[in-house]
Amino acid sequence: MQEILDRILVDIQPYFGMGEVADYIPELAKVNPKSFAMTVETIDGKSYSCGEFDQKFSIQSISKVFVLSMAMELLQDQLWERVGREPSGTAFNSLVQLETEQGIPRNPFINAGALVTTDTIIQHFSNPYKEILSFVQNLSQNFDIQFDKRVALSEFQNSDRNSALAHFMKSFGNIESDPMTLLDVYFHHCSIAMTTQDLAKSFLFLANGGVNPPTGESIVSKLKAKRVNSLMLTSGLYDNVGDFAYRVGLPAKSGVGGGIVAVLPGEFSVAVWSPELNLSGNSLVGTKALELFTSYTEKSIF
Ligand code: GLU
């Protein structure tokens, strides 16, 4: 496995410089565009990495998987009255479908859907910031993981579109919280800074039927783990989900910080980070690295 990761590090070199770092959140644009890291964690405790795997980066939309997992535990099937389970076919921050679909977002991984799941967390906990952070720290067993306050603030200062989504859904009665509070919690969980090692560890429960291997703790039921993985497969990669499934063949979630994390149920989780994005907002080199990974290892869900 280590040899494969080392080989990928060589093979991806020609792909740097072909994408663009996200700059609509100015703080994200300060990152070195040529950064790269990759980590594989197996459910039986083995860990393999290459590149800058001790470098923290902004997980952005990947946090939507954590919040969805929490919301599914809290609301059970009632959650699906407020958010759908279909790919959107539109950009992650689009407003268009919400008008015709009565304020019900297509899925929990577009921004509108993640605002709804975040709303449920706010409604259930007196300190939603702490609950979300503890959830992530516990999964990765790294209690130093924190919000990156500069990234959260930077996003708040450029939040017209997310703000529009929150207010628009509230007008349909699908948001209960105050929109400013909702946006602040949402931007904070998007700002969580993690390494590829942290991220791969924090997704192991989805590779292991809902149980976090290092602690043996059940995070979600086996059925819910299957469902979260299914949602990642159909909606986890923005508007590029079909192409990603074709090339990589694993359920995964990406973020505009350049992270992508994928799982192979029963075996491992794999996280990759490279900040230059393709036109759909997925890490360009990261996607290539995962494509090479499933080709070289011949391990995918298909
Ligand atoms: N915080 C980002 C936003 O709402 C998340 C986007 C993403 O990673 O897809 O725009």
Side-chain angles (χ1 to χ4, degrees):
M1 185 65 84
Q2 188 61 49
E3 276 171 25
I4 287 178
L5 292 192
D6 294 341
R7 183 172 159 201
I8 289 171
L9 191 54
V10 174
D11 291 354
I12 51 158
Q13 295 304 321
Y15 297 91
F16 287 104
M18 293 172 77
E20 298 277 345
V21 173
D23 58 4
Y24 76 101
I25 303 172
E27 200 62 32
L28 288 185
K30 295 184 179 168
V31 72
N32 174 9
K34 304 286 179 274
S35 305
F36 179 86
M38 189 165 186
T39 297
V40 179
E41 295 280 337
T42 66
I43 58 172
D44 57 2
K46 298 192 187 74
S47 177
Y48 308 90
S49 292
C50 67
E52 300 164 59
F53 57 88
D54 52 0
Q55 184 73 36
K56 289 184 179 169
F57 61 93
S58 190
I59 66 167
Q60 290 298 317
S61 264
I62 296 170
S63 64
K64 293 170 181 173
V65 180
F66 301 131
V67 174
L68 171 66
S69 302
M70 293 174 76
M72 283 170 78
E73 282 299 292
L74 291 175
L75 267 77
Q76 306 295 332
D77 282 346
Q78 276 181 322
L79 179 65
W80 306 114
E81 292 166 16
R82 295 181 56 187
V83 59
R85 301 191 293 252
E86 295 295 340
S88 72
T90 57
F92 67 97
N93 55 6
S94 173
L95 282 141
V96 176
Q97 285 164 346
L98 280 179
E99 171 73 347
T100 48
E101 297 178 4
Q102 311 295 311
I104 309 289
R106 276 283 173 100
N107 67 65
F109 295 146
I110 52 174
N111 286 9
L115 287 166
V116 169
T117 54
T118 304
D119 186 47
T120 68
I121 308 294
I122 296 171
Q123 293 304 309
H124 272 82
F125 295 110
S126 57
N127 188 340
Y129 301 92
K130 184 169 154 280
E131 293 293 335
I132 296 170
L133 198 56
S134 302
F135 186 80
V136 177
Q137 289 175 339
N138 182 43
L139 283 177
S140 58
Q141 290 291 293
N142 178 354
F143 298 90
D144 293 330
I145 290 171
Q146 294 297 334
F147 300 118
D148 183 332
K149 299 263 178 199
R150 284 168 310 144
V151 172
L153 180 66
S154 182
E155 191 164 7
F156 215 124
Q157 288 165 342
N158 295 275
S159 61
D160 296 331
R161 185 167 275 267
N162 282 319
S163 179
L165 289 169
H167 284 280
F168 199 43
M169 287 191 290
K170 194 163 173 82
S171 77
F172 283 103
N174 198 18
I175 294 293
E176 291 173 40
S177 316
D178 161 56
M180 291 310 245
T181 307
L182 173 60
L183 291 166
D184 196 53
V185 175
Y186 170 77
F187 295 146
H188 272 80
H189 70 65
C190 288
S191 82
I192 293 174
M194 294 170 82
T195 65
T196 52
Q197 239 168 18
D198 295 329
L199 206 48
K201 282 188 184 147
S202 69
F203 269 62
L204 270 180
F205 77 106
L206 293 172
N208 194 41
V211 175
N212 196 17
T215 60
E217 185 188 354
S218 176
I219 306 298
V220 294
S221 66
K222 197 168 190 172
L223 179 67
K224 289 202 189 80
K226 178 189 81 173
R227 289 174 168 171
V228 173
N229 286 334
S230 303
L231 288 163
M232 290 202 291
L233 188 70
T234 53
S235 308
L237 281 294
Y238 309 119
D239 226 3
N240 201 208
V241 71
D243 185 61
F244 184 92
Y246 176 83
R247 290 170 57 185
V248 177
L250 293 174
K253 183 73 197 84
S254 59
V256 293
I260 307 177
V261 55
V263 297
L264 180 58
E267 293 211 29
F268 58 75
S269 57
V270 50
V272 62
W273 171 56
S274 176
E276 292 177 338
L277 308 180
N278 65 19
L279 291 176
S280 304
N282 294 315
S283 172
L284 191 146
V285 179
T287 303
K288 187 69 202 174
L290 288 170
E291 182 180 6
L292 293 172
F293 178 77
T294 52
S295 303
Y296 293 163
T297 58
E298 296 184 4
K299 283 180 185 292
S300 82
I301 59 167
F302 300 110

